[in-house]
DNA sequence: ATTGGCGCCTGAAAGC
DNA sequence: TGCTTTCAGGCGCCAA
């Protein structure tokens, strides 16, 4: 759920608070999320300042002034709230509308100056870790594939990654070891934009010599485009979010196929209908007419 | 070595 | 109306 665009939206909302800020105290209200907090988590954060808040795939990476890094993954239902005093607002997250329940406020970062950042995660699929040295070398990030918004992500790279793979495009795109940051929603949207069927073999995007097929270029453009559009929409939802009912962000209204089973395909001239199929127990949405 | 499937976890929605 | 069941999915793990 929080996929790359949602995490980037959260990063942008949180950066003004974290960057240059210092943790006066960190409250950890349970021993674990999806995995245990590392030993001494709260103690090691206390007194540290954040020099930079970055994003890698779906991870937030806060660089600390002692050289360590705080990693935060939102899982499926994680959100971060910024507040001081009684009032709090969310910097823009993908969370459940009524999950404001403080019973799920698992971590509270108290910043010097009085601002609070509260991590809420009803389903506890999120995780936090504290790693020393280069965070890219940490177990969480080391195995991640290409950053889809990075400069090196192009048709040639995609063709190399997918060459020889018999697995469906959908599975290949969801594999974080190949391309990192896409989830079920944006994979569906990107494949629709590229007019590619989810079940098509990933290897068909490369020629026999390993060069990119035309479809590889379309897919790269589609991935970048859908992520950029979603980030732009998430950003715009930030303002609304303050008075918010907890909606996803504007981009949900722009879905072409995701969660639109039975709807007419929105592609001009296409008379197809959006179909929902289930693969590995997961919903897949696509137009059977224009996606090949 | 890849690739598919399961289960974690909770709340919303659908079903009876 | 109220209870029960299903579904959502990121990701680690296991199995074929």
């Amino acid at each position: 759920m929080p996929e790359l665009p949602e995490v980037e939206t959260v990063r942008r909302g949180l950066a003004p608070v974290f960057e240059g800020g210092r943790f006066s105290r960190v409250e950890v209200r349970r021993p674990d999320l999806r995995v245990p907090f590392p030993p001494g988590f709260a103690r090691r954060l206390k007194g540290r300042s954040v020099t930079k808040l970055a994003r890698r795939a779906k991870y937030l990476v806060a660089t600390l002034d002692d050289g360590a890094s705080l990693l935060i993954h939102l899982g499926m239902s994680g959100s971060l709230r910024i507040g001081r005093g009684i009032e709090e607002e969310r910097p823009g997250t993908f969370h459940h509308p009524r999950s404001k329940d403080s019973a799920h406020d698992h971590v509270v970062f108290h910043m010097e100056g009085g601002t609070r950042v509260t991590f809420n995660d009803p389903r506890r699929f999120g995780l936090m870790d504290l790693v020393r040295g280069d965070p890219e070398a940490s177990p969480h990030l080391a195995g991640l594939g290409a950053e889809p918004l990075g400069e090196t992500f192009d048709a040639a790279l995609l063709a190399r990654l997918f060459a020889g793979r018999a697995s469906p495009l959908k599975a290949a795109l969801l594999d974080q070891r190949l391309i990192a940051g896409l989830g079920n929603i944006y994979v569906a949207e990107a494949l629709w934009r590229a007019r590619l069927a989810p079940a098509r073999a990933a290897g068909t995007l490369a020629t026999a010599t390993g060069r990119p097929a035309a479809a590889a270029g379309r897919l790269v453009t589609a991935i970048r485009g859908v992520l950029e559009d979603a980030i732009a929409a998430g950003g715009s939802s930030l303002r609304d979010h303050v008075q918010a009912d907890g909606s996803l962000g504007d981009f949900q209204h722009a879905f072409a196929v995701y969660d639109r089973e039975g709807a007419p395909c929105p592609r001009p001239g296409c008379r197809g209908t959006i179909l929902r199929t289930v693969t590995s127990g997961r919903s897949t949405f696509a137009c059977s007419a224009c996606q090949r």
Side-chain angles (χ1 to χ4, degrees):
Chain A
M1 296 227 142
E3 303 181 26
L4 189 154
E6 287 73 34
V7 178
E8 177 61 23
T9 299
V10 171
R11 189 196 68 77
R12 294 179 184 189
L14 188 59
V17 174
F18 260 26
E19 291 186 342
R22 191 177 295 276
F23 302 120
S24 57
R25 186 166 63 95
V26 176
E27 258 179 275
V28 181
R29 297 177 173 171
R30 52 172 300 121
D32 57 34
L33 296 171
R34 183 159 56 76
V35 299
F37 289 95
F41 180 75
R43 174 181 52 77
R44 288 169 62 192
L45 285 173
K46 182 174 182 171
R48 299 276 60 76
S49 69
V50 177
T51 56
K52 185 182 167 195
L53 183 63
R55 177 191 57 75
R56 171 73 170 107
K58 300 173 192 173
Y59 285 86
L60 293 170
V61 183
T63 306
L64 307 179
D65 60 355
D66 64 355
S69 293
L70 166 66
L71 303 186
I72 301 176
H73 195 294
L74 301 176
M76 270 201 50
S77 58
S79 66
L80 289 159
R81 249 181 7 255
I82 299 169
R84 58 169 47 242
I86 296 172
E87 298 172 38
E88 293 195 341
E89 68 186 59
R90 295 180 190 251
T93 63
F94 194 114
H95 71 280
H96 289 263
R98 274 170 270 289
S99 69
K100 292 177 181 175
D101 187 355
S102 61
H104 302 303
D105 288 349
H106 306 309
V107 180
V108 183
F109 300 96
H110 297 267
M111 310 303 292
E112 235 169 48
T115 301
R116 262 194 333 259
V117 176
T118 303
F119 177 82
N120 180 286
D121 185 7
R123 295 183 200 180
R124 302 206 303 275
F125 280 13
L127 73 82
M128 291 193 196
D129 202 359
L130 206 43
V131 302
R132 302 174 203 276
D134 181 8
E136 283 293 328
S138 74
H140 295 111
L141 305 188
L144 293 175
E147 228 356 267
L149 293 179
E151 292 178 4
T152 62
F153 183 65
D154 58 15
L157 174 56
L158 187 75
R160 276 203 306 281
L161 292 172
F162 284 9
R165 288 183 183 269
S167 63
L169 276 174
K170 175 177 178 173
L173 290 171
L174 284 173
D175 189 338
Q176 305 295 302
R177 296 167 300 183
L178 302 176
I179 301 167
L182 301 177
N184 206 36
I185 292 171
Y186 294 108
V187 164
E189 295 297 313
L191 286 171
W192 177 81
R193 289 191 183 202
R195 306 194 309 275
L196 293 168
R200 174 167 164 167
T204 61
L205 297 202
T207 65
T209 55
R211 297 187 178 249
R218 294 209 308 275
L219 185 51
V220 166
T221 301
I223 291 169
R224 283 186 179 280
V226 75
L227 294 179
E228 285 167 0
D229 289 351
I231 289 170
S236 69
S237 77
L238 286 182
R239 292 184 289 275
D240 307 334
H241 218 79
V242 178
Q243 62 231 113
D245 57 353
S247 60
L248 298 179
D250 294 343
F251 196 73
Q252 59 178 324
H253 304 300
F255 290 160
V257 292
Y258 184 80
D259 204 20
R260 300 199 68 229
E261 181 181 18
C265 176
R267 194 184 312 283
C270 180
R271 294 182 168 272
T273 298
I274 306 307
L275 301 181
R276 173 181 176 268
T277 56
V278 175
T279 309
S280 307
R282 299 288 182 253
S283 290
T284 300
F285 298 92
C287 174
S288 63
C290 64
Q291 291 181 250
R292 298 291 166 178

